[in-house]
Amino acid sequence: MTQDLAHIWIAVQAALRRDVGASAFEVWLAPLQPVDLQDAALRVRAPAETREWVAERFERPLTRAALEVLGSGACIEIVETGADRAASSKSRRGAVEAPAAPPAQTEFNPKFTFDQFVIGDANHFAHAAALATAELPGQAYNPLFIYGPPGVGKTHLLHSVGNYVRAYGNGLTVRYTTVERFTNEFIAALQTSSSAKERFKDRYRRNDVLLIDDVQFLASKAKTEEEFFHTFNALYDAGSQLVLTSDRLPRDLDALEDRMRERFESGLVTDIRPPDLATRLTVLRKRVQHDGIELVEDGALDVIANRIATNIRALEGALIRIVAFSSLTGRALTADFAAEVLDGLYGREAPRRVPGGARRTVGYGLPDVTVARVQELVCDAFSVSREELLSTDRAARVTWPRQIAMYLAREHTQESLSSIGRSFGERNHTTVMHAVRRTTERLRTDPEAFRAVQELTARLTGPGSDRRA
């Protein structure tokens, strides 16, 4: 794939995700892969089993995404690959039906490799276990269960295993999924036909390596947990490798059945902790080198690394924001500029003690900032009522303040995604994730939005503010 085509496809994917929502995108549109760009027609390929459905069901969103990214007259065409045409031709000739081919494999993030993973005291054991698993699938540690807080590298390790097996596994099949995608595909299969359910089973049970992210979200999904249990057993009994991630230990997944927790604990359980300062600096330097970012002062990275101490994803996100605002304003990437941008987004640095003696940096969970206070400030700033903010109203005058409020709640309170969602009219965690993503994207390109969030952050975290009001 050329660099231009890759950039175009990233923009198209972002437009599609905004249009159809995260759940539908992950199930139906994430597997699409760009082939080429001919004039104004972007040609993509889809898995054979879903091609017709995607072409029919998502024709309008695909067209809208093409027009948004490529301009007037653009379109997206879903095409057959050479292998698909050959299989179709063979079938039409009346050949004896061959055993079903293994389901299409997952495309992995090429940036998430073992070489790009920054090893430190907080993650070296998890890295070593994942590498051993990739080198000897089904033999080293099975299952491998990696747990830790969000944003510390669990998904990176899963993709690293996938990329390694794909490159050096001598044809072993490997698939990555999240529990959310597994659930959505399972529900879609149940609602379609018995043959669709069988295809779903084949998709997950006919793999040499299965990588599953966020297994904590199996909680309270009885039918999905049952299907996942049988999938786990089928793969394990066949000698296939399973690698799972979660935000907590198996024994702390209280909502899961005992038999499921016992399966998770039957192999190696290892943790990833928040990165230390040296690791954070190395992560930032690698990102700067990889993206070709020109810094005026190395101290800018020190500012970021010292300010954001718990989350690699947030660490890289802060760097992206600072680079974006430098580009927008034409100002040099200095330490002072980095501190100014971070102050605007997260409030002035004021480390404080939280229960247990650990230091927490402002912006990632102040113990005395509440969701209610965030909602109050946002309602006042945008002249909307709290009832409107929590309602299902999707008018722009309400949606944008609601997204900002969810973003601020995520950035400045210690509440989980699920808890924040419940505080906004019993919404689920995926809605909060979507709001945070949309707000983050807009902050990178919209100075007015940035100023609004900056002012709200100052009111929320500044000296003398009544954060519990």
Side-chain angles (χ1 to χ4, degrees), residues 10-29:
I10 290 171
V12 169
Q13 286 184 309
L16 287 170
R17 186 186 291 274
R18 290 194 299 269
D19 195 349
V20 305
S23 296
F25 175 85
E26 290 295 336
V27 174
W28 302 109
L29 301 178

Side-chain angles (χ1 to χ4, degrees), residues 112-114 117-118 122-123 126-127 130 146-161 213 245-246 271-275 283 310-314 316:
F112 288 173
T113 65
F114 287 117
F117 190 84
V118 177
N123 61 27
H127 172 270
I146 303 171
Y147 72 95
V152 294
K154 301 188 298 296
T155 299
H156 188 140
L157 282 182
L158 286 184
H159 280 257
S160 297
V161 172
D213 220 347
T245 71
S246 173
D271 72 323
I272 299 183
R273 300 184 303 280
V283 168
T310 61
N311 188 310
I312 290 175
R313 190 178 299 129
E316 293 183 329

Side-chain angles (χ1 to χ4, degrees), residues 95-161:
V96 176
E97 186 176 354
Q105 299 185 57
T106 309
E107 293 297 326
F108 295 101
N109 189 330
K111 294 181 181 180
F112 288 173
T113 65
F114 287 117
D115 289 340
Q116 289 296 318
F117 190 84
V118 177
I119 304 171
D121 291 339
N123 61 27
H124 68 94
F125 188 71
H127 172 270
L131 180 57
T133 296
E135 292 174 334
L136 296 170
Q139 301 178 49
Y141 310 109
N142 199 22
L144 173 62
F145 189 100
I146 303 171
Y147 72 95
V152 294
K154 301 188 298 296
T155 299
H156 188 140
L157 282 182
L158 286 184
H159 280 257
S160 297
V161 172

Side-chain angles (χ1 to χ4, degrees), residues 208-250:
D208 298 302
V209 180
L210 182 62
L211 314 167
I212 309 103
D213 220 347
D214 294 327
V215 296
Q216 71 271 12
F217 292 129
L218 281 171
S220 304
K221 296 182 175 71
K223 289 186 177 181
T224 303
E225 183 181 343
E226 178 78 16
E227 179 62 28
F228 187 84
F229 176 79
H230 293 305
T231 298
F232 184 104
N233 286 343
L235 288 165
Y236 186 83
D237 292 343
S240 298
Q241 176 70 50
L242 294 110
V243 185
L244 312 104
T245 71
S246 173
D247 64 357
R248 69 203 78 167
L249 280 162

